[in-house]
Amino acid sequence: MEIIRTVAELKAKLDEARTRGTIGLVPTMGALHAGHLSLIERARRENDTVVVSVFVNPTQFNNPTDLATYPRTEEADAALLENAGVDYAFMPSVEEVYPEPDNRQFDLGPVAEVMEGAMRPGHFNGVAQVVSKLFRFTEPTRAYFGEKDFQQIAVIRKMAQLEGFNNLEIVDCPIKREADGLAMSSRNVRLTPEQRSIAPAISLVLKASLVKARELSLADTKKWVIDTINAFPYMNVEYYEIVDAATMQPIGEWSDSATPVGCITVFCGDVRLIDNIKYILK
Ligand code: AMP
């Protein structure tokens, strides 16, 4: 594996690799865990060359403390990537990715206006900025994203459409969980041991809501999820929305969508955790 720091070097290596076959890109912000690894393994299976980017993108953080406290574990990340059979680890500086300020405003539309878009102003525009740059730098055949960030995938698809990335396949990958159900996340290391023992309640309650949904209205299911999670110590639900998987728009009744997805964010202490669940009602 080669660690690459500059865009020029990355482009040169990949121009050569492209003549030999397909390129799979896995964008990450590092502090890598088995969730990331599941995307990387899939990329490895499906492509001739695998590039993983590790870049904590400042433009997608609307909260300076979140950016400052985001875990950075570059050496461990490089070792994990090497072990996973990655060809190129792209680990650029902020100046390399943003030699000048990126003032682009993406017209992402309704998929970016709700949930994370409403709670974290500018977040998805920052995601669109960095992912569009990564797509240009690497020109991948396929790019891999985790369904943990369910809304993010819809936003990236919209960005790809706006920017004309028509020959690039965006691959959704399922959420990887700890044995107790907690969705793997780089932020989990910030939980105290006590909070860590309570955090799996999020996924357990979401799972239990699949059964509730058979008898309760959508509004009552939402309320049940929020109240049940909030009853745990440290837990504070920021939002729970049940949306259509394609449009990301909240639905009012179960019959309003063939693919309802419940998307949640919960503060466990001061750590913001995210998860989601697909409701299959028939
Ligand atoms: P991040 O480093 O948090 O920006 O995540 C990089 C990519 O890994 C994103 O596409 C995430 O959705 C994905 N990812 C993070 N955690 C998980 C997980 N537990 N399961 C599946 N994908 C994940």
Side-chain angles (χ1 to χ4, degrees), residues 189-207:
V189 297
R190 295 192 46 234
L191 297 167
T192 65
E194 201 188 350
Q195 289 167 346
R196 174 65 190 80
S197 71
I198 294 166
I202 301 168
S203 68
L204 296 178
V205 173
L206 288 181
K207 209 166 161 203

Side-chain angles (χ1 to χ4, degrees), residues 41-242:
E41 283 165 355
R42 177 143 179 213
R44 182 69 284 170
R45 284 198 301 277
E46 296 179 353
N47 299 278
D48 299 298
T49 299
V50 174
V51 188
V52 177
S53 59
V54 175
F55 179 64
V56 182
N57 173 37
T59 74
Q60 73 187 70
F61 283 82
N62 56 316
N63 175 343
T65 316
D66 192 22
L67 175 60
T69 58
Y70 200 84
R72 289 158 212 252
T73 57
E74 193 182 288
E75 266 182 42
D77 290 349
L80 184 144
L81 295 175
E82 172 101 54
N83 252 325
V86 167
D87 298 291
Y88 300 113
F90 180 49
M91 298 177 147
S93 65
V94 172
E95 296 70 35
E96 187 65 22
V97 177
Y98 296 106
E100 55 221 39
D102 190 341
N103 296 318
R104 290 175 298 161
Q105 289 292 329
F106 290 81
D107 186 11
L108 299 166
V111 293
E113 282 162 12
V114 294
M115 300 192 289
E116 294 299 277
M119 292 297 162
R120 304 179 68 189
H123 168 65
F124 281 137
N125 196 62
V127 170
Q129 287 176 340
V130 76
V131 176
S132 65
K133 279 178 179 269
L134 292 170
F135 283 2
R136 280 219 173 81
F137 298 161
T138 53
E139 296 178 41
T141 318
R142 302 181 185 89
Y144 295 80
F145 296 92
E147 287 188 339
K148 183 173 85 77
D149 302 282
F150 200 80
Q151 188 180 6
Q152 175 170 273
I153 301 183
V155 168
I156 288 166
R157 285 190 192 283
K158 179 68 186 176
M159 178 281 291
Q161 181 207 327
L162 291 172
E163 297 289 292
F165 292 111
N166 303 320
N167 296 323
L168 184 163
E169 188 187 340
I170 290 165
V171 183
D172 306 12
C173 304
I175 303 177
K176 183 97 179 165
R177 298 179 180 282
E178 302 286 356
D180 58 16
L182 178 64
M184 289 184 179
S185 165
S186 306
R187 292 188 170 91
N188 292 351
V189 297
R190 295 192 46 234
L191 297 167
T192 65
E194 201 188 350
Q195 289 167 346
R196 174 65 190 80
S197 71
I198 294 166
I202 301 168
S203 68
L204 296 178
V205 173
L206 288 181
K207 209 166 161 203
S209 79
L210 292 179
V211 179
K212 290 275 167 198
R214 293 202 195 116
E215 61 206 39
L216 297 182
S217 68
L218 185 142
D220 287 346
T221 305
K222 264 175 73 171
K223 185 174 175 340
W224 183 81
V225 166
I226 293 168
D227 292 348
T228 310
I229 292 177
N230 279 340
F232 286 86
Y234 302 109
M235 299 290 233
N236 195 356
V237 175
E238 186 182 44
Y239 66 75
Y240 184 53
E241 293 289 357
I242 300 175

